[in-house]
Amino acid sequence: MSSVSLKTEFAGIKLNSPIMTASGTFGFGEEFEDFADFSTLGAIVVKGTTLEPRNGNRGIRIAETPAGMLNCIGLENPGVQFLVNEILPRIGKYNCPIIVNISGNTVEEYGELAKILDIDGVKAIELNVSCPNVKEGGIAFGVEPKSMVAVIKAAKKNTGKPVIIKLSPNVTDIAVMAKAAENAGADAVSLINTLIGMAIDINTCKPVLGNITGGLSGPAVKPVALRMVWQVRKAISLPIIGMGGIMNAQDAIEFFLAGADAVAIGTANFVEPDSTVKIYRDLKKYLEQKNLTDIRDLIGKLRT
Amino acid sequence: MSSVSLKTEFAGIKLNSPIMTASGTFGFGEEFEDFADFSTLGAIVVKGTTLEPRNGNRGIRIAETPAGMLNCIGLENPGVQFLVNEILPRIGKYNCPIIVNISGNTVEEYGELAKILDIDGVKAIELNVSCPNVKEGGIAFGVEPKSMVAVIKAAKKNTGKPVIIKLSPNVTDIAVMAKAAENAGADAVSLINTLIGMAIDINTCKPVLGNITGGLSGPAVKPVALRMVWQVRKAISLPIIGMGGIMNAQDAIEFFLAGADAVAIGTANFVEPDSTVKIYRDLKKYLEQKNLTDIRDLIGKLRT
Amino acid sequence: MTLHKHFLADGVIKRHEKIGTNDVYLLDINISANTEKFAAGQFVQLQVPDGEILLRRPLSIADAAGSNLILIYRVIGKGTKRLAKTSVGQKVSIMGPLGNGFDLACKKPLLVGGGLGIAPLLLLAKRFAGKADILMGCKNAEEMDWPLPLFKNIVKNTFITTDDGSMGMRGFVSEYLPEILTAESYDKIFVCGPEIMMRSSAEVAVRHGIICEVSLEKRMACGLGACLSCTIETKCGRKKVCKDGPVFESREVFF
Amino acid sequence: MTLHKHFLADGVIKRHEKIGTNDVYLLDINISANTEKFAAGQFVQLQVPDGEILLRRPLSIADAAGSNLILIYRVIGKGTKRLAKTSVGQKVSIMGPLGNGFDLACKKPLLVGGGLGIAPLLLLAKRFAGKADILMGCKNAEEMDWPLPLFKNIVKNTFITTDDGSMGMRGFVSEYLPEILTAESYDKIFVCGPEIMMRSSAEVAVRHGIICEVSLEKRMACGLGACLSCTIETKCGRKKVCKDGPVFESREVFF
Ligand SMILES: Cc1cc2nc3c(=O)[nH]c(=O)nc-3n(C[C@H](O)[C@H](O)[C@H](O)COP(=O)(O)OP(=O)(O)OC[C@H]3O[C@@H](n4cnc5c(N)ncnc54)[C@H](O)[C@@H]3O)c2cc1C
Ligand SMILES: Cc1cc2nc3c(=O)[nH]c(=O)nc-3n(C[C@H](O)[C@H](O)[C@H](O)COP(=O)(O)OP(=O)(O)OC[C@H]3O[C@@H](n4cnc5c(N)ncnc54)[C@H](O)[C@@H]3O)c2cc1C
Ligand SMILES: Cc1cc2nc3c(=O)[nH]c(=O)nc-3n(C[C@H](O)[C@H](O)[C@H](O)COP(=O)(O)O)c2cc1C
Ligand SMILES: Cc1cc2nc3c(=O)[nH]c(=O)nc-3n(C[C@H](O)[C@H](O)[C@H](O)COP(=O)(O)O)c2cc1C
Ligand code: FES
Ligand code: FES
């Protein structure tokens, strides 16, 4: 019997562990039923949701890159009403906090979405202001403090739930964005979303992806993500969900040390569908080895 | 006998091929004498040079990351006078254009360096305004158009040589920077310098690198670099040196298609010291297969 | 159509050999799990060993017996090139069985395969216990070297086309198909191969009033219906090839 | 001290086996090039096969004969862990010989090695053709399992220390060193091992007025003096371990 506890609290939400899933990589949880153990998950962050259903991008949607992948899914989703009516009731049975990742074309849409999702079965909302794949909306909000602030305020005004802002790494100074988010009243930040990248097929001389560019994720981006978490940790005092290339407990621990209060697992779910379970197990082992009993003893403990 | 020509011109400089070496990864060329074939190289871009000799950063200076590496060399170099008096005369024998990469603490220093290097034996200067490792200087110039413009102007005023500005990828909008550079009178741009990243040793709970953060290079960054070259190609008409994770001819071709007029090989030199030779050979083969006779028929030919 | 709970296992390579002149390999993997109920048309997500390749690769179940899985693949790019280097005894992580598989309900089936699309038809032919006919199309006689022996005793009649006429009929399967469908009263055809070949074959089938199932290919990340890499537009809305497919009734996807 | 032009070659693994209880491996590689003139103390940059590991790994030349190179390494992290999985017959890219190597000029040499630092002393002992003595230090008797047999017939006297006293003298080599230096009139000592051990040994040597060469370790990218990953501060200015070293006269680097 291990006396190590991974239980924690994030923005007022009680979590079984600080291990969450990254939006868009874990569906609605159900898809991973055979591999995940929902009692070890801190939260399921579901696929990016919009007011209306969306078809996403045409053509090829993923490409593998060295130690990473590009995606241009383009926010395909069944729309918020379907989520509320059909999916949330279904996944409630996991007894795992559900965080809904939302995306809007306008500031008002974020507000509207926040209002619709201010219901039981939703523990928090995560604002995706950085998805690089959708021409209207998305991108603009995430790289410019003013519009990001407007989005946060619109969301806050319309919900009693914690509002998590997901920061884009495609900015000159992530700390500036984080501070703006803190001042705007966000309850937490998550970072990073994907870096914008591209791949070319030299046989056809065409871009590999249907949308030309896509979002880079996976181990390749980990050094950048880790650096940004560390920068943001120094800049603000809001809780942080760290993500970007976390494949195993070692990676997760690096994020905790850098200052993440929770981590989210993304691309790793595609590589090992039981990644979250393994990370939970190995994280416990690490704490035991280090004679720590509480995951919170690790957070921000980087010695510089 | 191949009728394919890799000869080209870049910012008025005649090149044997569009394959250059990336500053800081190829020393002064001499170090690679046993492996490189200088007649296949377009230019040697030598290590970042400053007015005074510099010792660089303390502690561990490199770390391997998934498909990439972090470095925090910190611009160690023997100073511009040593370069001019000792090194340039020595490496003149290669008959390969020498481009000197320079870094200053102030705008004036860039001007001074440009003036000192306005000599035979130097074909062009490359302004490093993006090295993320030096606390004073470097970083600030590369992420803010106004100071970058000042640096370019200072250099241009002091030299008759082509001035290449090396863009930092750590910005929100690389096209904005490129346009500012074009307007300021730069003769060419090169991109990308390294992305800022970090690595943590979970046993010691300390950063791996002596300088805490370092510059990420290698295959991991290629998708980002390629996207930026493509973005910049659309934004300006200056010639571009594309770099970032080019390991083989296929990678190089992707950069040419995206719009690079020349490419620079960096981290690959550490992996295969004869990378540039192999890329030269395989690039020729590709052109033959595609029934192209001139490398310039490839440049910017991405079909979107 | 049987759906099973997915397994994730480190299989052990029992056999790995080149079976075709043109870089086609057979991989026999012991997964220490009963594979008897895996449906023909289902696939696995195989992890290319040795760490360089990030994403899993989807490969059809070509055969399944006891606790062994047979996969047949062609070297296409980075992943399969590296896979071809793995040796007997090595471990390889396998996740599956994924997708729906073919619906066997029919009396007189015709299997139609092109290139590597022939692979999943092997298990399908077995499930039909000898009562199926097969029409195989390849570029040339050389490309027929691997499927011919494999199908020898598990189908009734074998029809062959090659693009260059070096074996069997000259031309595409879809050109030969009307003749076959007229000569014999098949009530269902199962097509797997390049999309253009599936489209044209499906068209012929529909013209002959015969139900046609096709097996689609799309780039996949998760293989579980979560990432939406593989979504397609169907007559009945958007579907995921990995989960709702890869097998679809042709009229649902080609319209 | 002989300096050679570098080669870059795909060596073929001829032997690869665990020689120590604690994850120490011996790698015998045929590089189809004459290795006879490689200097003791030089190293190679070895590419870990299979593509996952980007940078080469520096490993000392433990032995060189004919066209074969012997490397002895301990599994430390990602790269050596993966290296340990390569099998006989596999190709491995080797670049070398790099660095300066030890300066053999002396009459009565004492080799001093700690842990894996003992590896390069093997070739050094051979170059001294039996006239060298060796002082080896390890954590415990178990750690002595691989070096003992290797040095058996190529040195005169062997002195041993273990941290826990389970073999030879109890303690660090530097504690035993004064005694040895007093008993016998060595005119040069060659030290390779953990930095702290080299520092303290060098101090003893200097106190006894004996020249001491040490072999340093620093993280390396290029191994050619180009990237400046491995620069150190010396009495004579900044030097590169990969090119100006790895061997230095102790007073040049420990001051
Ligand atoms: C359900 C399904 C079953 C399949 N069954 C077989 C089979 O039995 N035998 C066989 O040889 N091939 C089969 N394929 C195709 C096989 O997945 C690809 O040939 C393989 O993924 C190529 O990988 P690569 O790394 O060599 O090529 P690369 O071109 O380097 O791969 C780059 C990326 O594109 C993807 N990709 C490339 N080609 C295809 C393709 N045709 N379909 C889907 N993704 C692709 C890869 O998975 C990878 O993510 C199947 C595909 C699907 C979707
Ligand atoms: C000139 C020289 C000769 C060496 N000779 C030997 C030898 O004969 N036998 C042996 O077992 N080891 C030797 N080493 C140390 C050996 O290079 C490291 O143990 C090895 O690189 C560890 O790689 P890894 O991927 O397993 O470890 P990781 O810790 O995962 O490596 C991460 C990075 O750090 C570098 N690194 C880690 N430890 C060291 C180290 N001690 N020195 C230099 N770089 C390091 C790696 O090369 C890599 O770039 C030598 C080092 C140098 C510089
Ligand atoms: C296929 C895919 C789809 C994604 N969809 C979303 C999304 O809908 N909303 C969002 O905020 N982030 C989305 N992301 C980004 C991830 O949530 C995460 O921020 C990113 O992938 C970095 O983490 P990783 O490297 O662990 O994957 C997506 C990522 C991938 C790979
Ligand atoms: C060890 C090292 C040292 C570098 N030093 C410099 C430098 O002095 N000046 C500079 O402009 N860029 C420097 N760079 C950046 C490279 O020139 C190049 O822009 C970057 O590494 C991306 O290319 P790559 O992925 O091919 O290495 C350095 C990179 C590395 C890895
Ligand atoms: S592959 Fe992920 S949804 Fe189909
Ligand atoms: S390793 Fe590159 S200079 Fe020494």
Side-chain angles (χ1 to χ4, degrees):
Chain A
M1 267 302 300
S2 155
S3 64
V4 169
S5 163
L6 293 187
K7 288 203 197 311
T8 187
E9 222 183 274
F10 186 91
I13 313 163
K14 284 194 170 28
L15 307 181
N16 275 335
S17 89
I19 303 164
M20 305 180 174
T21 60
S23 174
T25 66
F26 203 69
F28 298 105
E30 314 173 288
E31 297 86 345
F32 282 82
E33 225 179 45
D34 290 352
F35 304 109
D37 171 354
F38 296 105
S39 74
T40 66
L41 275 183
I44 301 171
V45 184
V46 300
K47 175 72 193 163
T49 296
T50 54
L51 268 183
E52 302 300 324
R54 285 216 198 158
N55 287 341
N57 287 316
R58 291 180 170 278
I60 290 182
R61 289 180 169 190
I62 56 162
E64 193 174 89
T65 67
M69 64 176 284
L70 291 164
N71 89 79
C72 63
I73 308 300
L75 284 183
E76 171 171 350
N77 80 93
V80 69
Q81 284 311 340
F82 190 87
L83 176 78
V84 169
N85 299 334
E86 304 283 331
I87 299 170
L88 290 181
R90 233 155 55 198
I91 62 180
K93 65 166 183 255
Y94 301 134
N95 278 322
C96 185
I98 303 294
I99 297 176
V100 180
N101 177 278
I102 63 171
S103 233
N105 286 324
T106 60
V107 171
E108 293 70 34
E109 279 188 19
Y110 281 95
E112 231 176 298
L113 281 159
K115 188 177 249 161
I116 297 171
L117 291 163
D118 193 11
I119 52 176
D120 279 0
V122 174
K123 283 283 183 209
I125 60 169
E126 182 181 61
L127 308 177
N128 177 8
V129 286
S130 45
C131 176
N133 301 320
V134 183
K135 266 160 219 124
E136 309 105 42
I139 187 69
F141 297 119
V143 296
E144 204 268 301
K146 233 173 80 180
S147 52
M148 182 192 64
V149 162
V151 168
I152 294 169
K153 289 194 168 154
K156 279 300 286 180
K157 212 164 58 191
N158 283 285
T159 182
K161 313 272 177 195
V163 169
I164 306 162
I165 173 86
K166 185 163 179 178
L167 300 177
S168 166
N170 303 292
V171 296
T172 305
D173 192 341
I174 192 94
V176 166
M177 301 299 288
K179 272 185 232 159
E182 182 168 49
N183 292 334
D187 299 290
V189 299
S190 63
L191 67 152
I192 61 174
N193 210 312
T194 53
L195 284 161
I196 308 172
M198 184 173 173
I200 293 174
D201 181 333
I202 68 162
N203 292 316
T204 60
C205 298
K206 285 185 185 167
V208 173
L209 295 178
N211 199 44
I212 303 179
T213 62
L216 184 64
S217 64
V221 309
K222 196 194 76 174
V224 174
L226 194 63
R227 181 262 298 180
M228 289 188 164
V229 165
W230 179 68
Q231 270 185 301
V232 168
R233 177 68 302 152
K234 290 189 299 173
I236 63 171
S237 58
L238 296 180
I240 296 173
I241 308 173
M243 75 193 86
I246 299 177
M247 304 307 278
N248 49 45
Q250 177 173 336
D251 295 333
I253 292 160
E254 291 191 48
F255 277 81
F256 290 125
L257 289 169
D261 300 276
V263 294
I265 313 304
T267 302
N269 293 306
F270 307 152
V271 179
E272 298 292 353
D274 57 355
S275 290
T276 50
V277 179
K278 288 182 186 149
I279 292 172
Y280 181 88
R281 180 196 63 199
D282 295 342
L283 182 54
K284 269 200 159 171
K285 272 196 209 151
Y286 174 85
L287 291 177
E288 273 162 29
Q289 274 166 21
K290 286 268 171 191
N291 280 319
L292 298 174
T293 51
D294 192 319
I295 176 70
R296 283 165 286 194
D297 297 338
L298 206 63
I299 291 163
K301 288 300 189 297
L302 183 71
R303 297 161 51 204
T304 53
Chain B
M1 269 299 300
S2 156
S3 63
V4 169
S5 164
L6 292 187
K7 287 201 195 314
T8 187
E9 225 184 274
F10 186 90
I13 314 163
K14 283 194 170 27
L15 306 181
N16 276 336
S17 88
I19 303 163
M20 304 178 174
T21 60
S23 175
T25 67
F26 202 69
F28 298 106
E30 315 173 289
E31 297 86 346
F32 283 84
E33 228 180 42
D34 291 351
F35 304 110
D37 172 354
F38 295 106
S39 73
T40 66
L41 274 185
I44 300 170
V45 184
V46 300
K47 175 70 195 163
T49 296
T50 53
L51 268 183
E52 303 300 326
R54 285 217 197 158
N55 288 343
N57 287 317
R58 292 179 170 277
I60 290 182
R61 289 181 167 190
I62 56 162
E64 193 174 88
T65 67
M69 65 177 282
L70 290 164
N71 89 79
C72 63
I73 308 299
L75 283 183
E76 169 171 352
N77 78 96
V80 70
Q81 285 308 343
F82 190 87
L83 177 77
V84 168
N85 300 334
E86 304 283 332
I87 298 171
L88 291 181
R90 234 156 54 199
I91 62 178
K93 65 166 186 250
Y94 301 135
N95 278 321
C96 185
I98 304 294
I99 297 174
V100 180
N101 177 278
I102 63 171
S103 233
N105 285 325
T106 62
V107 171
E108 295 69 33
E109 279 189 18
Y110 280 96
E112 233 176 295
L113 281 160
K115 190 180 248 163
I116 299 171
L117 290 164
D118 193 12
I119 52 174
D120 280 0
V122 174
K123 283 283 184 205
I125 59 169
E126 182 181 62
L127 309 176
N128 179 7
V129 287
S130 43
C131 177
N133 302 321
V134 183
K135 267 163 216 119
E136 311 104 45
I139 187 69
F141 298 119
V143 297
E144 203 268 301
K146 235 173 77 179
S147 51
M148 182 191 64
V149 162
V151 168
I152 295 169
K153 289 193 168 155
K156 280 299 286 178
K157 213 164 54 191
N158 285 286
T159 183
K161 313 273 178 196
V163 169
I164 306 162
I165 173 87
K166 185 161 177 181
L167 301 177
S168 165
N170 303 294
V171 296
T172 304
D173 191 341
I174 191 95
V176 166
M177 300 301 286
K179 273 186 230 159
E182 182 168 49
N183 292 334
D187 299 291
V189 299
S190 64
L191 66 156
I192 62 172
N193 212 314
T194 52
L195 284 161
I196 308 171
M198 185 172 174
I200 293 173
D201 182 330
I202 67 163
N203 292 315
T204 60
C205 298
K206 283 184 187 170
V208 173
L209 296 177
N211 198 43
I212 304 180
T213 62
L216 183 65
S217 64
V221 309
K222 197 193 76 172
V224 175
L226 194 63
R227 182 263 298 181
M228 288 188 164
V229 166
W230 179 70
Q231 269 186 302
V232 168
R233 177 69 300 155
K234 290 190 298 173
I236 64 172
S237 58
L238 296 180
I240 296 172
I241 308 173
M243 75 193 85
I246 299 180
M247 304 306 277
N248 50 43
Q250 178 172 333
D251 294 334
I253 293 161
E254 291 190 49
F255 277 81
F256 290 125
L257 289 169
D261 299 277
V263 295
I265 313 304
T267 303
N269 293 306
F270 307 152
V271 180
E272 299 291 353
D274 58 354
S275 289
T276 51
V277 179
K278 287 182 186 149
I279 292 172
Y280 182 89
R281 180 195 66 198
D282 295 341
L283 183 54
K284 270 200 159 171
K285 271 195 210 151
Y286 175 85
L287 291 177
E288 273 162 26
Q289 276 165 20
K290 285 269 171 188
N291 279 319
L292 298 174
T293 52
D294 192 320
I295 176 71
R296 284 165 286 194
D297 297 339
L298 207 62
I299 292 163
K301 289 297 191 299
L302 183 71
R303 295 159 55 203
T304 53
Chain C
M1 189 182 63
T2 353
L3 271 175
H4 297 276
K5 240 180 112 73
H6 311 121
F7 69 93
L8 173 70
D10 269 345
V12 178
I13 302 181
K14 291 294 169 191
R15 223 170 109 209
H16 192 190
E17 54 197 35
K18 204 168 165 189
I19 56 167
T21 325
N22 296 311
D23 274 342
V24 176
Y25 290 77
L26 182 145
L27 195 53
D28 184 350
I29 303 170
N30 186 292
I31 55 167
S32 48
N34 189 348
T35 67
E36 299 292 347
K37 287 190 173 168
F38 292 4
Q42 287 191 300
F43 65 100
V44 297
Q45 279 276 63
L46 173 145
Q47 187 163 69
V48 182
D50 293 330
E52 192 193 351
I53 305 290
L54 184 70
L55 297 174
R56 289 170 179 264
R57 297 296 191 258
L59 292 175
S60 303
I61 299 173
D63 203 352
S67 56
N68 281 42
L69 269 186
I70 306 268
L71 310 175
I72 298 173
Y73 67 94
R74 167 168 286 154
V75 171
I76 291 291
K78 239 176 63 164
T80 46
K81 202 166 166 181
R82 179 134 263 319
L83 181 59
K85 288 191 189 149
T86 54
S87 20
V88 169
Q90 248 188 293
K91 282 186 183 167
V92 50
S93 169
I94 300 263
M95 179 181 145
L98 303 167
N100 54 3
F102 295 105
D103 181 350
L104 306 184
C106 69
K107 289 202 186 83
K108 182 93 193 102
L110 175 68
L111 320 186
V112 181
L116 259 291
I118 296 171
L121 301 183
L122 199 61
L123 183 58
L124 185 60
K126 280 210 175 169
R127 293 284 188 253
F128 280 128
K131 78 173 178 185
D133 289 349
I134 190 165
L135 165 58
M136 297 194 261
C138 282
K139 270 198 207 111
N140 49 45
E142 211 175 55
E143 295 264 328
M144 280 295 171
D145 58 0
W146 67 269
L148 268 186
L150 289 175
F151 280 92
K152 201 151 194 174
N153 298 310
I154 58 168
V155 289
K156 244 192 195 144
N157 297 302
T158 302
F159 309 103
I160 288 171
T161 69
T162 51
D163 298 3
D164 65 357
S166 55
M167 188 185 274
M169 292 285 295
R170 182 203 193 95
F172 301 130
V173 291
S174 52
E175 297 173 89
Y176 193 29
L177 197 54
E179 196 178 312
I180 302 178
L181 294 185
T182 312
E184 185 81 52
S185 58
Y186 299 102
D187 62 340
K188 189 157 176 184
I189 77 171
F190 300 86
V191 193
C192 189
E195 187 170 320
I196 175 138
M197 171 268 203
M198 292 196 285
R199 267 187 195 277
S200 48
S201 299
E203 211 173 278
V204 175
V206 169
R207 245 192 292 124
H208 284 73
I210 299 172
I211 294 174
C212 173
E213 285 195 0
V214 295
S215 179
L216 303 186
E217 284 187 8
K218 274 287 232 169
R219 289 205 184 198
M220 294 178 178
C222 70
L224 294 168
C227 71
L228 309 184
S229 302
C230 68
T231 316
I232 53 162
E233 207 66 72
T234 76
K235 230 182 186 156
C236 328
R238 305 182 69 74
K239 298 235 169 145
K240 298 160 195 167
V241 172
C242 70
K243 204 173 174 183
D244 306 315
V247 178
F248 294 90
E249 217 264 274
S250 71
R251 285 167 306 182
E252 191 184 339
V253 289
F254 301 147
F255 51 99
Chain D
M1 189 181 67
T2 353
L3 270 175
H4 296 276
K5 240 181 110 72
H6 311 120
F7 70 90
L8 174 71
D10 269 347
V12 178
I13 302 180
K14 292 291 167 192
R15 225 171 107 210
H16 192 189
E17 55 198 36
K18 205 168 168 191
I19 57 168
T21 325
N22 294 314
D23 274 341
V24 177
Y25 290 79
L26 181 145
L27 195 53
D28 185 349
I29 303 172
N30 185 292
I31 56 165
S32 46
N34 190 345
T35 66
E36 298 293 346
K37 289 189 174 167
F38 292 3
Q42 287 192 298
F43 66 100
V44 296
Q45 279 274 62
L46 174 144
Q47 187 163 70
V48 182
D50 292 331
E52 193 192 350
I53 305 291
L54 185 70
L55 297 175
R56 288 168 180 266
R57 297 295 190 259
L59 292 175
S60 303
I61 299 173
D63 202 352
S67 55
N68 281 43
L69 270 186
I70 305 268
L71 310 175
I72 298 173
Y73 67 93
R74 168 169 285 155
V75 171
I76 291 289
K78 236 175 67 163
T80 46
K81 200 165 167 183
R82 178 135 264 318
L83 182 59
K85 288 191 188 153
T86 55
S87 20
V88 169
Q90 247 187 295
K91 284 186 183 166
V92 50
S93 170
I94 299 265
M95 181 179 143
L98 303 168
N100 54 3
F102 294 104
D103 181 351
L104 306 185
C106 69
K107 290 201 188 85
K108 182 93 194 103
L110 175 69
L111 320 187
V112 181
L116 259 290
I118 297 172
L121 301 182
L122 198 60
L123 182 57
L124 184 60
K126 281 210 174 170
R127 293 284 188 251
F128 279 127
K131 76 171 177 186
D133 288 350
I134 190 164
L135 164 59
M136 298 194 262
C138 283
K139 271 198 207 113
N140 48 44
E142 211 175 54
E143 295 264 329
M144 281 293 172
D145 56 1
W146 68 269
L148 269 186
L150 290 174
F151 280 91
K152 199 151 198 174
N153 299 311
I154 57 168
V155 288
K156 245 191 197 144
N157 296 304
T158 301
F159 309 103
I160 287 172
T161 70
T162 50
D163 298 3
D164 64 355
S166 54
M167 185 183 276
M169 293 282 296
R170 183 205 193 94
F172 301 130
V173 291
S174 52
E175 297 173 87
Y176 192 29
L177 197 52
E179 192 177 319
I180 301 178
L181 294 184
T182 313
E184 185 83 50
S185 60
Y186 299 101
D187 63 340
K188 189 159 179 183
I189 77 168
F190 300 87
V191 193
C192 190
E195 189 171 319
I196 175 136
M197 170 268 202
M198 293 195 285
R199 269 188 192 275
S200 48
S201 300
E203 213 173 274
V204 176
V206 169
R207 247 192 289 126
H208 284 74
I210 300 173
I211 295 176
C212 173
E213 286 196 358
V214 296
S215 179
L216 302 186
E217 283 188 9
K218 274 286 233 168
R219 292 205 181 198
M220 295 179 177
C222 72
L224 295 168
C227 71
L228 309 183
S229 301
C230 67
T231 317
I232 52 161
E233 207 68 72
T234 76
K235 232 183 184 155
C236 326
R238 304 182 70 73
K239 297 234 169 144
K240 298 159 194 167
V241 172
C242 69
K243 203 173 175 182
D244 306 314
V247 178
F248 295 90
E249 216 266 273
S250 70
R251 284 167 304 181
E252 192 185 337
V253 291
F254 300 148
F255 53 98

